[in-house]
Amino acid sequence: MESEKQNIIQLRASIMDLNEKELIANLKSDGNKEKAFQVLVKTYQERLYWHIRKIVMNHDDTDDILQNVYIKVWKNVDGFREDSSLFTWLFRIATNESLSHLQKQRRHSIVSMNEISDYLTDSLESDVYFDGDEIQKKLQLAIIQLPEKQRIVFNMKYFDEIKYEEMSEILQTSVGALKASFHFAVKKIEEFLKEERK
Amino acid sequence: MKKTDENIENWFGNLKKGQPFRVPESYFETFADRLKVRIEEEEQPNKKRSLFIYLKPILMMAASFVLVMLLVSVPIKKFFPSGKGYIAQRQLNTDSIDSASLIPATLISYFSEGQFLSAVSDVKELESDTLSTDNLADYIAANYSEYDIIANN
């Protein structure tokens, strides 16, 4: 029974792999590029959106960044070397674009790391699209206090449940370092929430 | 690390793990269309922008020329308030000095004394500050003998 389940999983993975290869081939061909791109957008837009949103918090910034990510893909797909999966490639672009956006904010306002968390807190406080309850808001405020890398790792692991191996490819960091980042992030969030309870 | 994972599960046990954020209505349904419009915009060359790019060097040169002119004319106006008049006056003075000094001595022999004196008196009028009658008499006495003067009359 267990081996049958394994076989089904492997079969699904190979079908997905086949589909992805076909999708990449179509993205690189002039005749099918537009249709294939529509499929790519529809397939990954939600996952990418939430990944970006958790880094920059604000909906409008997320919308801009998500569009920039897809424009980059549209322009550079011919150069995609297929060393990694499309999912990994897209997430890597999305992560880099989000971090660049925060860097720009930092340069623009000549602010330090602490002030970036202030900027994100303001974004969260003024976000009309935040639907969470008090506990969720406290958790988000705790996450905002984390250093950039720990914040991304925590979100990817806790909310998106991405495997460390996949995360390692996206963030180009070793699995060990990612585990350590997650461990420290959890400790800091615990401390932050304890302080809040007092 | 396993302990950390268990810990977080206990700690955040009361939390709903879903997204606390939401998106505007029909956001994902319309995203692909909005993206398509933006890509089309990006791929169309912006005519106004390209025209500005072509004109940019000419505009910059014109601006530099105006700036240089300002840098030259402002100090001139400041330090020489009469401006053009002052320069013209200096030019006139220089010309009159030159014309007096450039009268060749050999030409004097072709004029009568009266013509010579009247010509010199014209110059003298112009340059009363620089050339007196005494100076002129001294000059003639030094360069011409009485014979020369009488013979030419």
Side-chain angles (χ1 to χ4, degrees):
Chain A
M1 192 69 182
E2 192 59 37
S3 65
E4 201 176 316
K5 209 176 172 183
Q6 282 288 324
N7 285 341
I8 291 170
I9 291 169
Q10 274 182 354
L11 190 66
R12 266 188 196 161
S14 56
I15 289 170
M16 275 176 71
D17 196 36
L18 195 71
N19 285 344
E20 183 164 309
K21 279 198 170 144
E22 203 181 319
L23 184 63
I24 294 167
N26 285 336
L27 281 168
K28 288 183 177 182
S29 77
D30 287 339
N32 300 321
K33 187 176 178 179
E34 213 161 300
K35 271 190 179 175
F37 188 70
Q38 292 292 322
V39 172
L40 182 81
V41 172
K42 292 274 179 200
T43 309
Y44 293 107
Q45 61 177 10
E46 284 201 42
R47 290 191 78 181
L48 286 174
Y49 175 89
W50 293 118
H51 176 63
I52 298 165
R53 179 78 181 264
K54 276 180 256 127
I55 300 174
V56 300
M57 296 287 167
N58 170 298
H59 166 74
D60 292 332
D61 291 349
T62 307
D63 183 42
D64 273 351
I65 296 166
L66 185 60
Q67 288 191 27
N68 291 343
V69 169
Y70 276 117
I71 288 169
K72 277 205 167 160
V73 171
W74 174 261
K75 286 180 179 169
N76 300 306
V77 73
D78 291 332
F80 176 49
R81 286 177 296 172
E82 297 173 53
D83 296 339
S84 58
S85 67
L86 261 179
F87 167 80
T88 306
W89 188 50
L90 288 169
F91 263 64
R92 197 181 300 153
I93 297 172
T95 309
N96 290 339
E97 282 289 310
S98 307
L99 293 177
S100 304
H101 171 81
L102 292 181
Q103 296 274 357
K104 269 185 216 160
Q105 292 295 332
R106 191 176 297 164
R107 253 181 276 139
H108 191 66
S109 11
I110 323 166
V111 294
S112 67
M113 191 60 216
N114 280 345
E115 282 158 320
I116 274 293
S117 63
D118 290 346
Y119 165 77
L120 292 174
T121 307
D122 287 346
S123 289
L124 182 68
E125 299 282 2
S126 60
D127 192 355
V128 290
Y129 299 114
F130 183 79
D131 250 2
D133 52 27
E134 264 311 298
I135 305 169
Q136 282 175 318
K137 194 172 184 179
K138 274 183 184 167
L139 174 62
Q140 286 302 323
L141 289 171
I143 294 168
I144 285 170
Q145 308 306 316
L146 297 173
E148 224 158 56
K149 192 80 177 258
Q150 286 179 20
R151 192 152 47 86
I152 293 168
V153 172
F154 181 83
N155 281 329
M156 288 173 95
K157 181 77 186 130
Y158 182 70
F159 288 107
D160 302 335
E161 294 176 344
I162 296 175
K163 287 176 187 165
Y164 281 122
E165 287 73 20
E166 253 177 340
M167 220 191 287
S168 165
E169 274 192 67
I170 294 166
L171 301 175
Q172 294 180 307
T173 311
S174 71
V175 170
L178 292 172
K179 283 181 179 175
S181 285
F182 184 69
H183 174 81
F184 288 124
V186 171
K187 288 278 166 209
K188 282 180 189 170
I189 290 170
E190 279 177 357
E191 276 168 31
F192 181 86
L193 293 175
K194 265 184 201 168
E195 285 295 313
E196 284 287 301
R197 277 185 180 179
K198 279 179 188 173
Chain B
M1 288 305 163
K2 261 196 173 173
K3 204 183 164 193
T4 305
D5 285 357
E6 281 166 19
N7 212 7
I8 195 164
E9 286 305 322
N10 295 336
W11 188 261
F12 302 127
N14 295 330
L15 276 173
K16 284 182 270 172
K17 218 176 178 179
Q19 299 295 345
F21 302 100
R22 63 185 169 87
V23 290
E25 221 180 300
S26 316
Y27 174 74
F28 290 118
E29 289 77 15
T30 57
F31 178 78
D33 294 333
R34 284 184 296 115
L35 180 67
K36 197 179 170 189
V37 171
R38 185 147 165 223
I39 289 174
E40 280 167 3
E41 278 174 6
E42 292 245 339
E43 288 190 334
Q44 268 176 2
N46 190 334
K47 280 181 185 173
K48 275 185 183 173
R49 202 177 159 194
S50 61
L51 183 67
F52 177 72
I53 287 168
Y54 286 125
L55 288 176
K56 205 176 167 186
I58 299 166
L59 290 172
M60 283 179 76
M61 275 176 69
S64 319
F65 179 73
V66 170
L67 186 72
V68 169
M69 289 302 288
L70 279 172
L71 285 171
V72 170
S73 68
V74 169
I76 285 179
K77 277 184 184 165
K78 197 173 178 183
F79 293 112
F80 308 109
S82 53
K84 242 183 177 177
Y86 176 85
I87 293 165
Q89 184 66 38
R90 279 189 61 105
Q91 190 72 35
L92 181 71
N93 290 344
T94 314
D95 286 346
S96 61
I97 288 163
D98 284 346
S99 61
S101 62
L102 284 173
I103 295 169
T106 48
L107 280 178
I108 293 169
S109 57
Y110 293 102
F111 297 114
S112 66
E113 191 185 4
Q115 285 173 317
F116 176 73
L117 283 172
S118 69
V120 168
S121 65
D122 284 343
V123 176
K124 195 184 135 196
E125 269 175 28
L126 278 172
E127 305 222 286
S128 54
D129 291 343
T130 55
L131 200 65
S132 66
T133 318
D134 292 338
N135 292 119
L136 192 61
D138 289 343
Y139 175 79
I140 293 166
N143 292 285
Y144 300 97
S145 65
E146 278 179 17
Y147 174 76
D148 286 333
I149 296 165
I150 292 161
N152 280 312
N153 283 322

